[in-house]
Amino acid sequence: MNKNIVIEWNHNPRKGEIVVQSGSIVYGEFVKGEAQHGDGRLLFGEGSSFRLELEIEAPNTPMTADKPIVTVHTAIHSFSFFIQDVNMKCPIFIPSYGVVVTEGQDTRSYEQIEKRTKDMELSTSLRKIEREPEESFENAAVMTRSLTAPTWLGLSRDVRIFEVGLRNVDDTEKLWDWIQPRFHGEPTTLPENENKQVRYHYMLGRGIGCEERISRRLDEGIHPILHGRIEEDEMVYETTSFVSLEHQELRPANIKGTPYLVADGYGHGYMLTEEQQAERQRQLAEAINEEEETVLYTRASATNTASVPRYAWFKNPIPNANVLAQSLPYVFDGVSGYAMYTADRIYCVSRLNGEPLANEEMAILLLPGETAVFELFVPHRPISRERADALSGQNFDKRLKQCREYWRGKFSSATQVRLPEKRLEEMIQAGLLQLDLITYGTEPEGTLLPTIGVYTAIGSESAPIIQFMDSFGWGGIAARSLQFFLDKQHDNGFIQNFNGYMLETGTFLWCVGEHYRYNGDDYWISRYKTKLMKAYEYIVEWRERNRTEAFIDRGFGMIDGKTADPEDPFHSFMLNGYAYMGLSRLSEIFKASDPILSSSINEVAEAFKLDIRTAFTSSMIHSPVVPIGNGTWVPTAAPWAEYRGPVSLFAGGGKWLTHGSAVGRDSLLGPLYLVFQEVLQPDEPSVCHMLDYHNELMCSRNVALSQPYYSVHPWIHLKRGEVKPFLKAYYNAVASLADRETYTFWEHYWHASPHKTHEEAWFLMQTRWMLYMEEEETLNLLPGIPRAWLEHGKVIDIQGARSYFGVFSLKVESFLEEGYISARVDCDPLRKPRSINIRLPHPEGIQAMRADIGVYCPEREAVTIDDIAAGSVEFKLYFERQV
């Protein structure tokens, strides 16, 4: 098939070349401007307007992969396009490059096509977001899916946890209320079920009906203590569940924990060397304290709110029940209230109104206002009758009080936050505890394993967990978590802990660099200098293997390997960006203690960055442009150096759908990472293009598909000062992926991995960035908060937060009815930033009149203060008084 097309420039590209993949140029001639074409080569004379007519022979395969592509190489703004995309009804108009491509019969000039496009008054999706009211959780919750998730309860450090759910949680278990003992990622197995998993099923109330009036909430909105409520007409069932110890009082001194290697082996995807595997087996026998089980304590009360007597129903837990309530063989003893496999293998101790439960199923007639209390204590694994007798004497209220005090004590060293939005205030506190809940290791010191959902630790996915702990006051726990990666580092410096992922060495070095920025602990760095340098040398040698002619135009000077679950062993930008950032942070770490070494590492890092940028630029040149919502087209880029364009456009064929998304590789593992990884700057034109096509091709409501927290575009929006797009992504992601009642996160929208702390930690880091970000030597405060947070009478109070400039506190109070907003910032006087920039947006967008001190910028709605010699500043920002 021959196709006639026209390319018209409104500037002088000077010289160039046209290359057709899977096709050839039959004819070419300039019909406007002093320019020449021959054998695909272009030479431009004087002037700034040129029109080239081309006839191209290419197969007519618009619906197949490996479609013909034309690349226009010029000295300024090279680009590529699919031949089949050229259509005079929707010309390829690239205003940022000053060029248009249309069909040969289209006689319109560049200016005419430009005017027609502007006259249509179309907008990109991001521009539409800028014109909308700011997003809120309430609006996002109406527009997005609502996921419910099971709740993980435990003690932290100890892998013996419990997963619990009421019947509205988890699609596979909507028939029952249930309890699942787990060794972290692995359900507990028992010999009574041929060493396969056992889940205990019970039921409160009459059963499943046309109504589902069920709600759940964490204790005080934050603690790993679950409260539930089931309403069946006038009968109300209320539950409280938590984990404590079997015998000992629950306090930090009695928490033994689980050795990190033992815990590691219970995480999905773990990787151990032969030596590590042997050591784990040695520790395993004595690691799990069978003489002191963890126990799930549950109380369910049934209250009759009717004016007449009503019945309440209870069904005691049975193992692995089916729809007919058939289960594994068990025995229920109505004298003791014990459910057991054998006389000395008791799995549940049950009481009714303080006495042993007499029947495993029962109906109780309650008078108006009367309450029946059903209690069940489930040890992590069956216990002897002697121990069950002791367990039956436990006082539920005493255990509950201990549990609350235990979790409250975790906050003693943490940042204190008070926000106008109670949900987010609770999610910060609950999130910190939920991260800690599955961070395993022995106490009171030693290596910790920062796991993520059912998985073991991963250098990439554990990074936000460690960094949030660092930024919210748990630097000691962060350091112990980093120790895991040092302990498991291979002799050659390589770090790999999960499922063949190849990016952990770079992400670990980056995370160490972030840790150092928070605490500046040169002693800690000096202890592990040899290991850090081994990691550096491994990356350098890896990179050198790719600095040969064989890799020209396909990842020269870049490292290759798998970055995530898909088996894509390519020179991916995400993999390389993290490696570069790791080296860059390493140079920074040694700047004071070893400046010569620091300079040497920096030289290598900068050369590495140049190679990555070269590959990225080539990718953007050779990737097909795509249309966006305002009628224009923008260039794209591939996720790795070996491909042309987003793989989801199939320029080079292939099968790329994964994890429930056709665009996952491009969005979640794609080139936007280079901005976050400091290879590209947020304000570069290429970043604008990527944000536009990423939003329109790969997002819904500015949220990425499948596993949205893998996408870094919300951070980029904040760095660019784009608050509305950030809030759109922020609220719609959390409203759709987190359980709105218990705040725990899923990994994916299709119920993969509950309690996914990687997703939760990125949400927490986004919240941290909303509240504060560092920019070189400036502390940016409140760069992404909603305007509504500064309505009259509202307060933002952050005490003891950690930043690159040490500890700081911030208190902002809105007195807009009196005409001002007050702010006070206290910084560490020894590490204070050079300047503070505090954004204080008026709820109605009104420009401030003046500030007590500093310089007010109306475009950024922010006050910049350079004079903070004493480490503290206090001021008022004045507005016209509200009437």
Side-chain angles (χ1 to χ4, degrees), residues 601-713:
I601 295 172
N602 183 65
E603 185 177 337
V604 171
E606 290 304 303
F608 193 2
K609 180 167 76 170
L610 181 60
D611 285 340
I612 299 170
R613 286 186 64 95
T614 299
F616 171 77
T617 300
S618 177
S619 179
M620 190 157 265
I621 289 171
H622 293 94
S623 298
V625 294
V626 296
I628 58 174
N630 63 358
T632 70
W633 295 58
V634 294
T636 62
W640 47 77
E642 292 90 333
Y643 205 85
R644 300 190 70 165
V647 295
S648 53
L649 298 184
F650 302 101
K655 296 188 293 185
W656 304 114
L657 188 145
T658 184
H659 292 68
S661 172
V663 297
R665 285 169 161 95
D666 297 311
S667 172
L668 308 183
L669 310 173
L672 270 175
Y673 265 96
L674 294 179
V675 191
F676 180 77
Q677 295 158 338
E678 303 168 5
V679 176
L680 302 176
Q681 293 302 307
D683 59 353
E684 292 190 43
S686 60
V687 177
C688 300
H689 299 321
M690 286 194 289
L691 285 173
D692 272 327
Y693 80 73
H694 179 262
N695 170 268
E696 299 197 12
L697 272 63
M698 303 169 189
C699 291
S700 174
R701 302 183 66 81
N702 208 24
V703 176
L705 306 182
S706 183
Q707 193 176 357
Y709 284 96
Y710 248 92
S711 180
V712 296
H713 68 282

Side-chain angles (χ1 to χ4, degrees), residues 11-33:
H11 67 283
N12 192 324
R14 298 204 291 267
K15 61 180 180 178
E17 179 184 20
I18 296 180
V19 178
V20 182
Q21 176 186 285
S22 301
S24 60
I25 299 174
V26 176
Y27 165 82
E29 181 182 4
F30 277 96
V31 296
K32 180 196 291 187

Side-chain angles (χ1 to χ4, degrees), residues 68-98:
I69 298 176
V70 174
T71 298
V72 181
H73 289 281
T74 55
I76 304 172
H77 299 319
S78 300
F79 66 99
S80 297
F81 58 90
F82 287 124
I83 294 175
Q84 284 81 7
D85 286 353
V86 180
N87 191 305
M88 63 184 296
K89 293 181 180 178
C90 298
I92 297 175
F93 173 45
I94 315 173
S96 59
Y97 284 9

Side-chain angles (χ1 to χ4, degrees), residues 133-141 421 701 727-728 731-732 735 786:
E134 280 186 351
E135 187 64 287
S136 66
F137 181 88
E138 290 72 23
N139 184 66
E421 196 164 346
R701 302 183 66 81
L727 291 174
K728 192 76 169 184
Y731 279 119
N732 283 275

